[in-house]
Amino acid sequence: TPSNTKVVALVVATPSRPGDDAPAEGTDVGLARPVVADLRVVRDVAENITNLRVVGDAAAMNWVHSADGRQYPWIGPRYAWGTGTLKVDGRAVSWTRTGCVAEELNLDVVSQLGSDGTLYERRTFRNVSDREIALADIDIHTPFNDNFPKSPVDMFDRRAFAHVWAGGSAAWVSAMRMGGQSPHLGLAVVEGRISAYELKERSRAKGGSNTRGIIALSLPDVILKPGEETTVAWRVFAHEGWDDFFAKLVALGGVDVKAERYVLRTGEKTTVTARTAAGTRTREWTCPGAGEHRVEIVTPDGRTAFVEILGVDDPAAILKTRARYIVSRQQVDAPGTPFDGAFVPYDTETGRQERSWETTLTSDHSEGRERLGMGVFLAKMAQRGMRDELMPSLLRYYRFVRTSLEDPDHTVWQAVKRSSSTRAFNYPWHVWFYLEMYKLMGERTYLADAYQTLKRLFRGDIKLPKALVAFPIGDCLRAFRAAGMPDAERDLIAWGRRFLGPVSAPGGYVAGTEVGLAPEVVSATIHALTEFGSLTGESSYLDAARRWVPRANAVCGRQPSWHCHDIGLHHWDGYWFGKRACWGDTLPHDWNGEMAQAFRRYAEATGEKEFAARAEKIADAMLGLFTPDGRGSCACVYPDRVNGEKAKFFDPLCNDQDWALVFYLDQNPDLSF
């Protein structure tokens, strides 16, 4: 250890115990539960943590990246747990051995396993020079094992969604095993502050969408006089789920702060509660107007905590203005061309449409695919009172979809030029558009289009993923029954049984999707199983939906913020769909609206009312992706920094975000215009 590093206490490892040896990768260990809640820590020769396990966990999951280049070649010792980077007077420095920082800065470290089964760590940065120094971007690497491996067994049993709350003195992390089964892992800040977080090592060449990167927890910037210091300490612990996490968070010295609601209308009130080991304190707060509000509360032991609340004026006005914005700015006016009537992305900075046929844009910015959400949204709005205003636009769009994006046999393409292959994910979105046009117009042609598109999807020559996002299987069955189309109903039930069979089986995994265990994969599975079971009367599908709910609880965070509370963790679409092409957590993301839809239908089918309440709150958060003048953002990049660059912004491109409003309307069936 360098001479300027003082390691006060350092535990190399706890003794081995029965059951600690890891099963081979790909071994399915099922839903085993822990025997005890102690942690086992292993360090490398540089005394950095390379393995952190919960004793008794049958999967023997390592909750951190091994940082030896084996899991990912770009994650080596410089990203081991407890290493980090910072700037001293603007000069970038790093430490790879515990505490090695800079000539003018010492790092004292306490890292020890306690008798209570937790890992206690305390880091103190001290100015050892004879002059004042400024510290900035103080990142401590906490490389939680948050990524999607190829093996579905490893993904469900040996990977975690790490939900980060950089809430100052009330900061915490809850790493939830992706399969939903306990034990899980938590981190509670008990001294000092974590004011930000960064994601590092994100790129197409470094795992692309299937890894979240290195998570770094950041101390506030500070100026230290000679001899002064800044400290942060936390406890790492095993827990059984969200309720147990918050109970242990408080018992171990952390802060549990929350609000009754995180999205409020102007003038509405909410209660903010802060709970510590010293007691509970509440504050009533009234929303003063639209926009994001940081609401602070002083805890019983004198710390300051906060929540993030979104204020909105009139949701109906937001949706109506957004509908007009799409028609006036995002619909292509090119008579005599196959592109006429298309809905395309729109750059709110330049005021120009993105037209993929005129540029080298990828299919994520094409005139097909996710852009179908604009058509579905407008058709729903027309049903709610805007029929006369929106009908000309919708008829032009129907003609475009049916003749320019589809072949006569209903083969669906990603773009008019047909330069890329068909994609199974696109078919349900065409079906949904046709279904809404049928509801609007009452003409069986549209329902026939929906049926023929489904028939083309399930014909057998298109590779099907294990989940289809925004697949309106229940609405289709209802429509076919009501319209007297027994052949279509019979076929869809047969297709549904074949498609949902693998995920409805006990222990059913999802593999072969574009991005690992994305939250929309979880919500789509719960929604389809619930609807199919309810409409066919086959209880096995509803039983399967119940087994999938813990996976939804794992992917949905519980941070005290409208960005994150019950919002599924999404960390790649800012790159693929945004103008800035920035990786990082997109919170909220429009597909989170499907979780609201899934929870609402699940509540209706099971009578479990708490899911209806959760659905309403998730849907409300979707409004935050839109401004009162009708602009939308395809991605809110929530981390403070990504790959060293400032983040925390709404991307200026209107692209796929209108699916959020589709689900909002589903959640609010009585809303009219």
Side-chain angles (χ1 to χ4, degrees):
T1 302
S3 59
N4 65 337
T5 301
K6 181 181 179 184
V7 181
V8 180
L10 191 63
V11 176
V12 175
T14 56
S16 258
R17 306 190 188 190
D20 278 345
D21 291 335
E25 286 280 299
T27 302
D28 187 351
V29 297
L31 303 179
R33 298 176 64 83
V35 178
V36 293
D38 292 338
L39 302 181
R40 180 176 186 267
V41 174
V42 176
R43 303 177 188 268
D44 61 15
V45 294
E47 298 175 336
N48 295 319
I49 293 176
T50 60
N51 194 298
L52 198 164
R53 297 184 189 174
V54 179
V55 176
D57 173 16
M61 174 177 169
N62 182 8
W63 289 84
V64 304
H65 284 288
S66 58
D68 58 7
R70 288 185 297 175
Q71 186 171 351
Y72 293 107
W74 54 90
I75 299 179
R78 67 185 178 127
Y79 288 122
W81 180 285
T83 63
T85 61
L86 53 74
K87 292 178 181 176
V88 181
D89 293 333
R91 184 179 84 255
V93 297
S94 64
W95 67 93
T96 52
R97 285 184 172 273
T98 306
C100 183
V101 182
E103 181 179 350
E104 56 271 79
L105 190 68
N106 275 11
L107 173 59
D108 296 341
V109 178
V110 174
S111 183
Q112 58 190 19
L113 290 166
S115 58
D116 60 357
T118 71
L119 171 67
Y120 174 76
E121 296 194 311
R122 186 175 188 269
R123 289 174 173 81
T124 300
F125 297 87
R126 180 180 295 108
N127 181 358
V128 294
S129 73
D130 57 1
R131 61 180 178 82
E132 185 177 89
I133 60 174
L135 305 185
D137 298 347
I138 310 169
D139 291 346
I140 300 173
H141 297 145
T142 51
F144 290 98
N145 213 345
D146 189 339
N147 53 83
F148 303 130
K150 292 182 179 180
S151 163
V153 171
D154 293 328
M155 182 170 63
F156 278 75
D157 290 350
R158 301 186 183 92
R159 298 295 186 271
F161 297 111
H163 302 286
V164 180
W165 175 237
S169 57
W172 51 260
V173 180
S174 181
M176 304 290 291
R177 195 191 306 258
M178 290 184 181
Q181 69 274 26
S182 62
H184 310 286
L185 200 72
L187 181 153
V189 170
V190 297
E191 182 182 356
R193 291 186 296 155
I194 293 297
S195 59
Y197 77 103
E198 180 176 355
L199 298 178
K200 303 183 178 183
E201 297 295 329
R202 292 301 309 272
S203 76
R204 294 181 70 170
K206 295 180 177 180
S209 301
N210 281 303
T211 177
R212 191 156 167 224
I214 297 296
I215 297 172
L217 303 182
S218 307
L219 280 65
D221 295 351
V222 65
I223 295 176
L224 297 180
K225 295 179 180 179
E228 285 188 336
E229 59 189 35
T230 184
T231 295
V232 68
W234 57 56
R235 288 190 180 275
V236 181
F237 56 95
H239 67 89
E240 296 291 299
W242 282 111
D243 290 343
D244 188 46
F245 167 78
F246 286 113
K248 288 182 176 177
L249 174 73
V250 171
L252 292 171
V255 179
D256 175 19
V257 60
K258 59 188 61 175
E260 287 180 317
R261 295 185 69 90
Y262 294 96
V263 181
L264 300 176
R265 312 301 182 254
T266 300
E268 284 187 335
K269 295 181 179 180
T270 190
T271 299
V272 179
T273 303
R275 187 165 59 101
T276 70
T280 301
R281 182 168 291 171
T282 62
R283 174 190 176 185
E284 188 175 74
W285 182 80
T286 302
C287 180
E292 183 171 318
H293 304 275
R294 174 170 164 153
V295 182
E296 294 187 345
I297 184 171
V298 177
T299 69
D301 55 9
R303 288 178 279 184
T304 298
F306 66 90
V307 299
E308 293 173 342
I309 292 178
L310 176 68
V312 297
D313 287 330
D314 181 4
I318 293 174
L319 272 66
K320 197 169 184 177
T321 303
R322 176 61 189 154
R324 290 170 174 163
Y325 192 100
I326 292 171
V327 172
S328 64
R329 305 194 189 196
Q330 294 192 244
Q331 188 160 38
V332 175
D333 185 18
T337 75
F339 306 101
D340 185 58
F343 292 132
V344 295
Y346 184 81
D347 188 334
T348 60
E349 289 182 323
T350 65
R352 298 185 62 180
Q353 293 180 349
E354 281 196 349
R355 298 184 173 187
S356 65
W357 59 94
E358 298 175 351
T359 66
T360 57
L361 293 170
T362 69
S363 56
D364 294 306
H365 296 246
S366 74
E367 62 278 10
R369 290 184 41 158
E370 284 81 1
R371 270 57 61 193
L372 266 293
M374 286 184 267
V376 177
F377 168 59
L378 292 183
K380 280 181 169 289
M381 293 293 287
Q383 296 166 31
R384 307 285 187 98
M386 296 184 71
R387 178 188 177 101
D388 291 344
E389 184 175 350
L390 298 179
M391 187 61 71
S393 173
L394 283 166
L395 291 176
R396 289 176 64 209
Y397 188 59
Y398 168 76
R399 184 177 65 248
F400 165 76
V401 171
R402 183 64 191 92
T403 63
S404 295
L405 286 181
E406 289 188 13
D407 289 342
D409 70 346
H410 290 272
T411 297
V412 171
W413 295 90
Q414 304 195 51
V416 173
K417 289 188 175 181
R418 289 156 167 70
S419 57
S420 55
S421 63
T422 58
R423 175 179 181 252
F425 284 108
N426 301 342
Y427 281 79
W429 308 334
H430 285 238
V431 169
W432 199 339
F433 174 63
Y434 293 143
L435 192 60
E436 297 301 336
M437 288 297 291
Y438 170 70
K439 293 177 183 177
L440 175 64
M441 304 292 287
E443 297 177 9
R444 292 176 70 92
T445 297
Y446 298 107
L447 200 54
D449 283 332
Y451 173 46
Q452 293 300 325
T453 305
L454 286 169
K455 182 180 288 189
R456 179 66 188 88
L457 172 63
F458 290 105
R459 192 169 72 184
D461 61 332
I462 296 174
K463 183 180 180 181
L464 291 174
K466 297 299 189 293
L468 287 169
V469 178
F471 179 20
I473 186 171
D475 285 346
C476 284
L477 280 172
R478 294 183 188 93
F480 293 156
R481 285 178 179 175
M485 297 174 62
D487 290 346
E489 179 186 352
R490 183 188 63 249
D491 286 345
L492 184 51
I493 289 175
W495 296 329
R497 288 196 182 106
R498 189 175 75 207
F499 178 65
L500 294 173
V503 296
S504 65
Y509 292 123
V510 167
T513 55
E514 289 182 331
V515 181
L517 196 63
E520 60 267 28
V521 169
V522 178
S523 58
T525 302
I526 293 173
H527 175 256
L529 289 169
T530 300
E531 288 278 81
F532 196 73
S534 298
L535 289 168
T536 63
E538 299 177 33
S539 61
S540 61
Y541 294 100
L542 198 55
D543 292 340
R546 289 190 177 95
R547 290 194 296 270
W548 272 83
V549 166
R551 295 162 184 175
N553 293 334
V555 74
C556 290
R558 298 290 174 87
Q559 298 96 315
S561 169
W562 74 272
H563 288 276
C564 315
H565 193 82
D566 233 0
I567 298 297
L569 184 57
H570 217 279
H571 55 73
W572 54 91
D573 270 354
Y575 175 81
W576 296 107
F577 288 83
K579 177 180 179 179
R580 299 280 187 267
C582 182
W583 298 98
D585 304 345
T586 50
L587 299 169
H589 185 274
D590 52 270
W591 281 135
N592 284 295
E594 190 180 34
M595 194 70 76
Q597 183 190 56
F599 281 172
R600 177 173 176 244
R601 302 296 170 88
Y602 182 81
E604 292 170 350
T606 64
E608 298 178 36
K609 295 181 180 180
E610 66 271 21
F611 287 94
R614 291 173 68 180
E616 180 183 355
K617 294 175 182 178
I618 295 170
D620 281 350
M622 298 297 96
L623 296 174
L625 294 172
F626 304 88
T627 60
D629 64 357
R631 286 175 294 151
S633 173
C634 65
C636 174
V637 184
Y638 186 68
D640 299 88
R641 283 173 279 126
V642 177
N643 291 338
E645 299 295 326
K646 186 180 184 304
K648 222 169 189 66
F649 65 90
F650 286 86
D651 195 277
L653 192 66
C654 296
N655 193 341
D656 61 331
Q657 68 288 317
D658 294 288
W659 282 108
L661 299 182
V662 170
F663 296 118
Y664 184 86
L665 288 170
D666 181 78
Q667 183 63 34
N668 294 274
D670 297 327
L671 189 63
S672 62
F673 308 90

